[in-house]
Amino acid sequence: MEAILEPIIRSPRMPEYLRLLNELAEDEARRRREFVESLTPEQKAEFIDGEVILHSPARRRHLNVTGNIFSLLRQHVGTNRLGEVFVEKCLVSLSRNDYEPDIVFFRRETAAKFTEDQMRFPAPDLVVEVLSKSTEAFDRGVKFEDYAHHGVREYWIVDADAKSVEQYVLPEGERRFTLHERLAHSTLRSHVVEGFEVPIADLFETGDAGEDGG
């Protein structure tokens, strides 16, 4: 951060740069408010780096994997009263950006503070993103950095085509994810959802022997 700011700090034009940055920040805040006010239950959209990102409908394969993970997590979390799991339309509002991750988990202590009418949520403990061609750059880029910076403790990047999961964890006191495992077989064990473990194959079950994805 200091290396990035050093040329600005030493420049005689620093007041001008600060004024411009303030104007840009105020304009972005206005557009972000308009974005939140315009959201509808039908449209999946996110506000990233000052831009509104609209998402196209997901393929069947993506929907199946998302549904499987959500069902398995929700059953385990509910049975053990560990917190709450949401899918698709949970608006996670961080310091600059608004995301709608595929799946999120909040531990019990955090979820206990939520109201029934709440529409914007803080950084979850676990985020799951299922890759698609239109979202992979975000999932591996700005979201990867932003989730870690805001204290998301575990992040799964799921590849429905390769039938694999990249499991990232946030070391104590750090703000950068570390790759724990890249799994295509064996068992996925969560670091933050106590007691949750599942064979990787179960995440990609379709219930249809003839299913080849969308």
Side-chain angles (χ1 to χ4, degrees), residues 93-158:
S93 291
L94 304 183
S95 56
R96 183 183 182 190
N97 301 312
D98 295 293
Y99 304 118
E100 290 189 338
D102 288 315
I103 299 168
V104 295
F105 161 74
F106 296 94
R107 59 180 177 172
R108 182 173 59 247
E109 293 81 2
T110 302
K113 301 174 185 176
F114 297 158
T115 67
E116 290 299 315
D117 294 324
Q118 187 157 335
M119 295 181 62
R120 302 178 76 179
F121 294 83
D125 292 279
L126 166 70
V127 171
V128 181
E129 296 282 13
V130 181
L131 294 178
S132 67
K133 290 181 180 179
S134 62
T135 66
E136 183 169 4
F138 293 120
D139 296 339
R140 296 189 181 281
V142 62
K143 289 187 177 184
F144 189 91
E145 180 181 354
D146 215 3
Y147 290 153
H149 180 71
H150 286 85
V152 173
R153 296 160 58 208
E154 187 170 355
Y155 182 33
W156 302 348
I157 296 180
V158 181

Side-chain angles (χ1 to χ4, degrees), residues 59-72 130 158-165 184 186 198-214:
R59 295 180 303 160
R60 182 182 179 188
R61 181 178 296 156
H62 183 289
L63 295 173
N64 279 333
V65 173
T66 302
N68 289 346
I69 297 172
F70 173 64
S71 296
L72 292 165
V130 181
V158 181
D159 188 330
D161 295 320
K163 297 185 177 181
S164 65
V165 179
S186 70
V198 60
I200 287 293
D202 288 3
L203 305 183
F204 303 99
E205 286 287 342
T206 64
D208 179 352
E211 167 61 25
D212 62 357

